[in-house]
Amino acid sequence: DETVIIGSSRILFDLDLDMWQQLFPGPRPIDLAVVGTCPLPVLHDLAEDPSFTGTLICGVTETIFFIPAPAPPAAQMTDWVRYYHHWSPSARASLYFSVPLESGFASLNKEDLSLDQLLRRWIPLKNRPGTRVFPPYPPYFASIEWDGRNKMWSRMETDPVLQQKVQQIWLPLFAVAPPFGGPGLTALIDGIKEDVDKIRARGGQVVFVRSPSTGELREYERGMWPREAYWDRLLEATGAPGIHFEDHEELMEFDCPEWSHLTRSDAVSFTRRLARIYRATITD
């Protein structure tokens, strides 16, 4: 009967678990969102789990939400779900001991500071015949809490040079894969409906949330993933409630420094406002 959060980086940055727990006393939400991944494999796994009868808050970022399973954002999460069901006693013990140990040390960030990643930045490669260079991911700009919550670094909030650097990475990165549509999209949404129906049949609840994005990135998203073809269709097919930031004036007042995620302080305010809308949504 607990609250579980799934999605990708926006829901990780934007939903403050401390504030949510203050507003909804009880067990702390379980945050299963992962940066750069598609949440649908987790949705399906929870739908198949008869013990789950709680509330599922599902973040929607169209470019990696409406995507087929073979694509990396979905395939990676599929692998992690499989690992969860089969991880060994030694892996569990390793996690148990590593959390208090690693939290006391400074560690290199392998996503940004490994030799391979540094070489990619120092020696940028260009597309050439027979080879297409994947756009770089943005540099890491958050701290990770023990419960998975991501909090934006203060430098990203205040440094316009870093903000612009990440902004210019998002656009080519979002353009890597064309929008998913046609019969494949219909089958994908039908599968989501089946999973939502299973959870609701057991007394659970699924609520979709579309977090803010701003600037040129939001304009690009509007053109590539129009609401009526994706978000509106998702809610109509599933019958599940949804909270889109553009439907609520109080959620549209936030600005994302790098166009895609909220600052630490804005995440607290956003969560407080989202909770009011959420409470009214699930009780209607």
Side-chain angles (χ1 to χ4, degrees):
D1 60 349
E2 296 182 74
T3 298
V4 176
I5 300 163
I6 64 174
S8 48
S9 60
R10 287 179 184 168
I11 201 79
L12 268 178
F13 277 75
D14 300 354
L15 192 61
D16 186 88
L17 300 183
D18 292 332
M19 175 55 63
W20 190 270
Q21 193 172 23
Q22 289 179 30
L23 298 172
F24 298 95
R28 190 176 182 82
I30 300 171
D31 200 337
L32 301 180
V34 179
V35 172
T37 63
C38 173
L40 296 184
V42 187
L43 170 63
H44 180 69
D45 191 65
L46 290 172
E48 297 296 321
D49 184 352
S51 68
F52 178 68
T53 59
T55 298
L56 188 65
I57 299 175
C58 182
V60 176
T61 300
E62 293 86 354
T63 182
I64 51 178
F65 184 89
F66 297 100
I67 195 166
Q76 182 182 34
M77 187 54 75
T78 299
D79 289 341
W80 289 359
V81 169
R82 186 183 302 113
Y83 178 80
Y84 166 75
H85 286 289
H86 298 286
W87 65 330
S88 65
S90 63
R92 293 172 184 261
S94 176
L95 176 64
Y96 179 82
F97 289 112
S98 68
V99 171
L101 184 64
E102 292 180 0
S103 64
F105 292 88
S107 302
L108 286 177
N109 182 341
K110 66 179 181 180
E111 285 81 12
D112 283 344
L113 300 178
S114 66
L115 180 60
D116 176 66
Q117 291 301 321
L118 291 173
L119 287 175
R120 288 172 184 266
R121 289 182 170 83
W122 291 336
I123 311 174
L125 299 177
K126 297 182 179 180
N127 291 336
R128 53 198 183 278
T131 301
R132 183 167 182 242
V133 179
F134 195 83
Y137 286 106
Y140 207 75
F141 53 88
S143 60
I144 303 176
E145 304 297 309
W146 66 270
D147 53 7
R149 166 93 158 86
N150 281 31
K151 295 184 177 180
M152 183 179 289
W153 283 345
S154 58
R155 184 186 169 197
M156 177 58 75
E157 301 177 9
T158 59
D159 186 347
V161 175
L162 181 58
Q163 292 171 3
Q164 186 177 28
K165 177 181 179 180
V166 176
Q167 289 169 2
Q168 298 312 308
I169 289 175
W170 288 136
L171 294 176
L173 191 60
F174 273 49
V176 167
F180 189 51
L185 178 61
T186 299
L188 184 76
I189 293 178
D190 287 344
I192 297 173
K193 180 184 184 307
E194 291 180 9
D195 290 337
V196 170
D197 287 345
K198 289 180 181 179
I199 293 174
R200 296 174 71 176
R202 297 195 296 263
Q205 176 72 279
V206 178
V207 180
F208 294 103
V209 175
R210 206 319 184 156
S211 297
S213 54
T214 55
E216 292 181 34
L217 179 59
R218 181 61 191 133
E219 294 302 319
Y220 180 81
E221 290 173 323
R222 287 195 185 100
M224 299 299 287
W225 296 275
R227 281 191 54 169
E228 60 274 13
Y230 292 90
W231 173 263
D232 293 347
R233 186 175 172 186
L234 172 69
L235 299 191
E236 181 180 2
T238 61
I243 303 173
H244 194 297
F245 80 100
E246 290 179 329
D247 290 336
H248 305 276
E249 185 175 351
E250 63 267 44
L251 300 184
M252 293 181 62
E253 298 175 359
F254 298 96
D255 183 53
C256 303
E258 35 63 78
W259 296 344
S260 193
H261 305 86
L262 297 180
T263 66
R264 293 184 181 212
S265 58
D266 280 350
V268 174
S269 300
F270 175 80
T271 301
R272 186 184 298 111
R273 299 179 187 187
L274 177 69
R276 288 197 295 265
I277 300 169
Y278 169 85
R279 195 185 299 273
T281 298
I282 63 175
T283 56
D284 285 346

